[in-house]
Amino acid sequence: MNLETERLILRPWEDRDRAPLAAILGDPHVRRYYPSTATPEEVNAQIDYAIARTAEHGFHFWAAEHKADRKLVGLVGVASLSDRMRTVIDSDPGVEIGWQFDKDYWGQGLAPEGARAWLDHAWETLGFAEVVAFTAQTNLPSQRVMEKIGMRRDPADDFAHPNLAEGHPLRQHVLYRIKRPG
């Protein structure tokens, strides 16, 4: 099963995606709001994990393929929150939405386009009542995407990321939420 938008095919991972995703996540500019770039080994482990989670639950972060040139341009999807993240996020929403795109495709509205498709899938097919997203406090581009897809932030929900040490410049995170319409 794939999800499609006007310009994207959102699909489970394939072996052909490994090298292109490693190039995207190995780019320091793409990963400037993460503690580090991802190594090819980390990307392979991430893809393997996503494949396993998709097999188990039917969803996770998936490949985002550009229809016009059939190029892998990043990832987008919804994923179950880890137990560690559940300890810092109130209301137990169950899933987060997230994305990372190749910088050559930034500014074209692809992240909100893919995220909207995943929100529709989260409501209509997966049956979730709420989806959250979070990012480093300094990551204004991702926060703009969250706002474009209708998510809202309550500063009372902001938190210190439990996987980042005290004093780390990316430790402070903002949390956005959206509830199923209706």
Side-chain angles (χ1 to χ4, degrees), residues 17-86:
D17 300 320
R18 293 177 187 277
L21 188 63
I24 294 167
L25 301 187
D27 184 318
H29 194 60
V30 169
R31 297 281 288 195
R32 69 194 184 280
Y33 298 111
Y34 287 80
S36 65
T37 57
T39 66
E41 296 78 21
E42 290 168 333
V43 169
N44 282 333
Q46 184 176 335
I47 288 175
D48 291 343
Y49 183 77
I51 289 169
R53 297 301 288 191
T54 297
E56 184 178 350
H57 300 289
F59 64 92
H60 197 68
F61 299 122
W62 282 4
E65 182 178 306
H66 197 252
K67 283 183 178 178
D69 58 16
R70 305 306 282 199
K71 181 178 176 188
L72 180 78
V73 295
L75 64 89
V76 63
V78 295
S80 297
L81 286 168
S82 69
D83 289 340
R84 190 153 196 199
M85 292 309 297
R86 286 175 193 267

Side-chain angles (χ1 to χ4, degrees), residues 100-152:
Q100 292 182 72
F101 279 81
D102 184 327
K103 69 182 177 200
D104 292 342
Y105 290 83
W106 289 355
Q108 300 176 31
L110 294 175
E113 183 176 318
R116 283 187 196 103
W118 267 104
L119 281 177
D120 289 344
H121 188 66
W123 308 144
E124 296 168 15
T125 304
L126 303 175
F128 289 104
E130 182 182 32
V131 175
V132 298
F134 50 88
T135 190
Q137 193 172 46
T138 54
N139 188 349
L140 299 180
S142 265
Q143 290 177 55
R144 280 193 296 276
V145 172
M146 293 169 195
E147 291 166 1
K148 285 179 183 179
I149 64 173
M151 301 187 92
R152 296 293 170 249

